[in-house]
Structure formats: C-alpha cells, structure tokens
Amino acid sequence: RMGIPMQALPGHRLSADQEAQMAFGPRWKVLDNVALGDGEGLARLKAAPIAANDGMALHPALLDIATGWAMQLIEGYTYDHLWVPGAYETIRVFNALPAEVYSWVRLVGTATAQDGMAVFDVVLMDARGTVCVEIEGFTIRKVEAGLAMPTPVPAAATSGPRPFSPAEERLRHNLTQGIPPQQGAEAFLRALGTGRSQMIVSSLPLEGLIAQAGQVAVQANVQEFERPQMDGDFVAPDTPMEHTLAAYWRELLGVAQVGVEDSFFDLGGHSLIAVRLFAKIKKEYGVDLPISALFEAPNIRTLARRIEDLGGIEAQPNARVKSMPLIPSKTYTHLVPMHPSETGHKAPFFMVSGMFGNVLNLRHLGQIIGADRPFYGLQARGLLGDMQPHRDFESAARDMIAEMKEVQPRGPYFVGGFSGGGITAYEIAQQLKDGGDEIAALVMLDTPLPQRRSLSRADRAAIQKIELRKKGVAYPVNWAKNRIKWEIEKRRPHSDGIPTDAPQFQDATIEAAFYDALEAYQVAPWDGPLALFRPPQVGTWEVAPGRWVNDERAYVLPDNDWTSSAPNIEVFEVPGDHDSMVLEPNVRALAAKLKRVIDAAERSPRRRSLDLRPLDRAAE
C-alpha cells in the first residue's frame, strides 16, 4: 500500500523532518528507509553505533524518531514550524527495542497544518514483525512561537519597556531553578522504577510554590492585565448596556480592555466568576440568568441581546442593529448546547453534569466532541433561582428525557454522565430503553456505584493498625479527638461566614438533594454496553495483599464496582484525577478514547469489543 520508499545511502542516515527546526545529536540519526501511503507510513530505523552501549530497553532516540518521523502525513505540513509531542493516550511495551526497528504509523482521523494538532497510532516491530511496542493516540502540536520567556512589551513609545510584574519575576526565577538534564534523566529512571502510576518531581519545595501561588491569586484581584491575543480583533462597546457589561467583565476578569465579541472563557472566566457576573446582571437589570447562558451567549454582544430579549431593559432607540444570529428563544431547564455549532451531521451526545449540577467543567470536552456532533450538557434543576432540585434520579431522568426528545425525538441515543451524573445517565438509559428506544452508548466518567460496599471489620482494623504503626502511640488519642470534632461539626448549622444573600450556586441544596436521591436509588440490571472512563486509581491502605482502600475509606475496584449490575462494562483508564480528567490537557486523551467508543458504537454496536482495547483487555 506504500509508495516508492526513500532509502539512505550506505553509511548514512535520512534526515527527520523536524531537523529543519531542531538540531539532533548523533544518537538521533537513526532513520534508514521510509515510505508513505494513504494516511499511513512505514519506516526502518537503525540505532546509531554510538548508542550501542547505552543499555536502554526503550532508547529515547529510537522511540522519538520512530513516533515522529511521518510528519508528511499532515496535510499542508511545512518545515516552518516545530511540532512537539503532547501525550501518549496508551502505550503497551511487550519487548525491548532492538537495534533495527520497523515503525508503522497511522494517522487517526484527519490533520492539517492549520489545525496545529495531529494524532497517530504507532506499532514498533523487529525485523521479523514481532511487535515490541504499541502506541495509541500519540498527539503532537505545532509550536507557533518560541518557548522562551517573552520580552517585556513597551507600554508606550517614550516610557521604555514595561517592567515584569512580581508574578512574572517569580516565574522567571523559578524557570532558572529547573532540574539539570543529567539529574532529570536519573530522576526519570528512578521514578519509573517505583512502579507508581503518578508522581511529582520538583527541584523546588512544593510548599513554597503553593504558598507563592496563593500570593499571586491575591494580587490578581487588584491587578489588571492587558487583553490577551484573541482570534478576532478588538470591538469596542456600542450601547449603554454593552458598556456596563464590559465594565463588569473588566472588574471580575482583571482584563484592562474587553471587546464585545471576546469570549468569556478565552479571557479566563470560570464558574465562580460567572456567579458574580450574573448576580450583578440581576441587580442591574432584574434578569435571572442560569450559568449555562454563557454557552449560548459567551460574549458581551450576545449576552446583551439575551438580556434585552428577556425584557431586562428596553432596546435603545438609537442603537444600531447588529448583523448577528439571534439566540434561540427556546430555553430549557436542563438542556445546554455546549458547542457553538449544531451543524454536526452525527447523532448528538448528551452528558449529565456531576453531583453539583453545573456543566461548566464539561466545556473542554464539549468543544472537542462537538467538532463533528452536537454536544449537550444536562444540568441540574435549581442551580439558581427559586426552582427546587430533584430529590430522586427517576424524576430527574424523566424531565431530562423530555428535553432530549425535543432535539432528538428517537434513538439511537448516546448518553453519558460525569461523576454522580453518571447515575442519572444510567437511569435515563433505563427509561429510554423501557420506552422502546435504542441506547447506542452509555458512558460514565468515573462514576462510583451508588451504594458502596461497606468495609469489613477486619479491614477497618487493618487500617487502624497501619495508622498506628505510621503515627505512633498518639494516634488513638488524636483519632478520638478528631472523631468528636467531626460529630460536633456534623450537628452544627453551617454558614461558613458567607452572607445568605451572597451570589453563589445552590450547591448545598443540590448536594443534599443528590444524597437523598442516592440513598433511595435502587440500581436495576443493565444488559447493554457501558463504557467507564476513570483516572489511575490510588489506594491509601493495603488492608490485605492486593486489596486497597482509598482515603474515602472505600475499596479501590477497577470497575468502580459496576460489573455486578452491568456485566458488559468496559473500563478505560485516562490521565489526571477525578476532577482534572475533564480539564486541559488531560481531556484530550479522554476525548480521543470517548470518540472511539462513540464512533465504534455508531458503526456497529454489536462489534464494539472488536474495535476497542479497553483497560481490562489490555491487562490480559
């Protein structure tokens, strides 16, 4: 299937594409023969003679070039930019890399130089075809500019260069305190040798860095920063309402200049800022907006139009009519369109938010998945305003289904849930199936079984013994004091010093409703497909050989204990932890695996297990 190969002259090596931007040492001169086909390529690599005695099972030179040699598969690739590795989604090592390696590279999906990102699957073999390494989801990104610390920009032609802020000075100093290459290589090998799935290696005291970050956060409240580089040009406010909203954004985001077409999220906005923003809007215009309105109206211009449409203020008689699409007049309680375009030709994906009901932390996932299919978040009832949240999963699922069917009247449905939202998604799937609809894919993002297994008396005793050995004879006294303190706090009303009229999510009310629903919910069997995505699991106490308990005093189980209820479960491990798995950069790996699950289910639901490599099968 490959084209005519390019062969190095005897005694020489081919140059890798990236050598136009980076000077490689002699150990990296390993490329001997390459051939390209339609979205795939095959190369032969030979270790450099100078590396013969390096004694590395996976020599970094071979691994680096073997995964990154096929840049020409990227449409529009030129030698003008450096592309750097971003992540491995999955890597399986079966054998050490020999001196002669064959690299079969396949482009996942499509990639253009304009996109600035490409994903490859790579298989590394010896000369007989024996697989040594399998890599899925190897991501590389284009570097648009240099990686050095930027030079201060002159504030004005006559004022000279702007001095670094205290935060920038600290950052510049910290960058000079990094781990030297020799120590870094040794630390990396020692880290690999521990067998742990996650580790932090720092040349600076972590406590000092954390304290420093707190200082930066405090200063950020009183500093204003220049408007960052945006995709569009700056557009000044026009109407009185746009000027008012721009002032709110400058105050809350700390940006000196805000354009009416600048995205709230691109300027660094998040859920806590959104709560304060909408509290100001309610006080000024008498309009109570849900936080999800930021997905429909992410900039000042569209948000002002939304406020006017809701009657918050009469339209200004002299204001110019903007040529912009109207925000849909239909508003939902649960359904939140989370991708700016709904032109995707594929079936939509519905994702239920986590326990607190807020969909904002799913924004990154929605942007990636929504590139070719509509992506809808399902938020809890009662986030803001007077509506009371659901107190059982059955009624919540029923109301969410009613709104889902307004955008997709019939199946097959793709449904998922993050954290506690996975339980609601599970009930949605049950009700849809009972109503005669097909469920093509049911997805959970690190959702635990509603009723966790209770620790046995022996395992509780084992934890006490471990803590006693670790903390000494004072442990029983401290444990008793903490237990008494916890019991007192549990019975004390919690105000936390926050005024009752302070703008905030109805977190406490929604959390209480969620736990009421959790206690009453009975998990019915599910015989359809279930894909569970979870981060690497961390155990705190090994109460018996191979049996771990985490810091929440729950058993660490690879399937989050769902197999007994859903025997067709498949488990996929993704980077990060429970919260950061849906945030950049970890969300990229999660999205790549999730897209494979969805695409495989869309092609042929009964053949999902033939097209995917879940965690449990990889372990075999």
Side-chain angles (χ1 to χ4, degrees), residues 202-355:
S202 174
S203 61
L204 296 170
L206 290 181
E207 292 183 358
L209 288 176
I210 293 170
Q212 204 175 87
Q215 295 171 9
V216 173
V218 171
Q219 291 176 359
N221 292 329
V222 297
Q223 290 182 349
E224 280 194 343
F225 300 94
E226 294 298 322
R227 176 177 179 267
Q229 185 68 37
M230 310 286 284
D231 291 337
D233 296 331
F234 171 79
V235 179
D238 184 40
T239 67
M241 182 183 291
E242 289 179 352
H243 280 284
T244 300
L245 293 177
Y248 292 163
W249 287 37
R250 288 195 300 271
E251 174 190 347
L252 297 174
L253 295 169
V255 180
Q257 190 181 46
V258 177
V260 294
E261 295 182 358
D262 295 345
S263 168
F264 174 83
F265 300 110
D266 292 345
L267 291 174
H270 52 74
S271 59
L272 296 180
I273 294 177
V275 170
R276 298 170 63 194
L277 171 65
F278 286 144
K280 288 178 175 289
I281 290 173
K282 182 178 181 180
K283 183 177 180 180
E284 180 73 21
Y285 300 112
V287 172
D288 199 353
L289 291 171
I291 301 302
S292 57
L294 284 169
F295 290 103
E296 300 172 350
N299 59 50
I300 289 173
R301 178 148 290 168
T302 53
L303 188 59
R305 177 67 62 86
R306 179 66 180 273
I307 295 171
E308 291 179 357
D309 289 345
L310 294 174
I313 188 173
E314 292 184 1
Q316 301 296 319
N318 299 323
R320 291 179 297 141
V321 177
K322 310 298 179 184
S323 57
M324 52 166 284
L326 290 175
I327 299 171
S329 58
K330 172 66 178 177
T331 58
Y332 297 96
T333 299
H334 301 289
L335 202 66
V336 181
M338 296 184 64
H339 192 267
S341 171
E342 296 183 23
T343 59
H345 62 280
K346 298 182 179 179
F349 188 88
F350 300 93
M351 176 67 73
V352 184
S353 59
M355 177 178 68

Side-chain angles (χ1 to χ4, degrees), residues 506-577:
Q506 303 292 345
D507 283 355
T509 304
I510 292 176
E511 181 184 21
F514 176 85
Y515 280 114
D516 286 346
L518 195 68
E519 186 176 354
Y521 188 63
Q522 297 297 318
V523 178
W526 175 254
D527 59 1
L530 172 60
L532 172 68
F533 296 82
R534 61 154 180 79
Q537 294 180 315
V538 179
T540 304
W541 300 285
E542 188 175 20
V543 294
R547 186 162 72 247
W548 285 85
V549 174
N550 63 22
D551 56 2
E552 296 179 350
R553 295 184 181 262
Y555 288 112
V556 177
L557 302 168
D559 63 347
N560 285 9
D561 213 11
W562 278 99
T563 300
S564 59
S565 301
N568 294 323
I569 188 174
E570 292 177 319
V571 182
F572 302 87
E573 188 172 286
V574 294
D577 56 28

Side-chain angles (χ1 to χ4, degrees), residues 39 62 118 156 159 208 225 254 314 373 490-491 495 501 506 537 540 549 570 604:
L62 278 175
S159 61
F225 300 94
E314 292 184 1
R373 81 172 60 245
K490 186 173 66 172
R491 292 163 172 78
S495 64
D501 59 347
Q506 303 292 345
Q537 294 180 315
T540 304
V549 174
E570 292 177 319
S604 177

